[in-house]
Amino acid sequence: MATAELIAETPVAAEVAELVARSRAAQQQIENATQEEVDRWIRGMVYAVCKPGMDEQIARETVEETQLGNY
């Protein structure tokens, strides 16, 4: 059975630690944002995913990545 010490020394653990550090840095950059700014960012993210043709692109990339299903 793997111990916490052995897991902490793996490349995956290092990658997770890097992602957590980047997430915390990003959180610090927006921690004082106004509600209006957050609303604008959310609208932009929704548009990026929902704009015309994006559904097909996401479906194609998902099928290519997973080799499952049809688009």
Side-chain angles (χ1 to χ4, degrees):
M1 180 186 260
T3 65
E5 292 81 19
L6 291 176
I7 292 170
E9 296 175 8
T10 66
V12 172
E15 182 178 358
V16 169
E18 173 62 23
L19 291 170
V20 169
R22 288 175 52 198
S23 298
R24 288 185 176 149
Q27 184 179 15
Q28 286 178 348
Q29 290 179 345
I30 65 169
E31 68 184 347
N32 296 315
T34 65
Q35 187 62 54
E36 290 78 20
E37 290 173 316
V38 173
D39 291 346
R40 186 170 50 112
W41 299 333
I42 297 298
R43 281 193 302 273
M45 287 187 287
V46 169
Y47 177 76
V49 174
C50 296
K51 65 184 177 184
M54 187 54 64
D55 56 341
E56 185 173 341
Q57 181 179 342
I58 291 171
R60 286 180 188 269
E61 290 175 8
T62 301
V63 169
E64 288 173 11
E65 177 75 21
T66 64
Q67 298 297 305
L68 299 171
N70 301 306
Y71 56 82

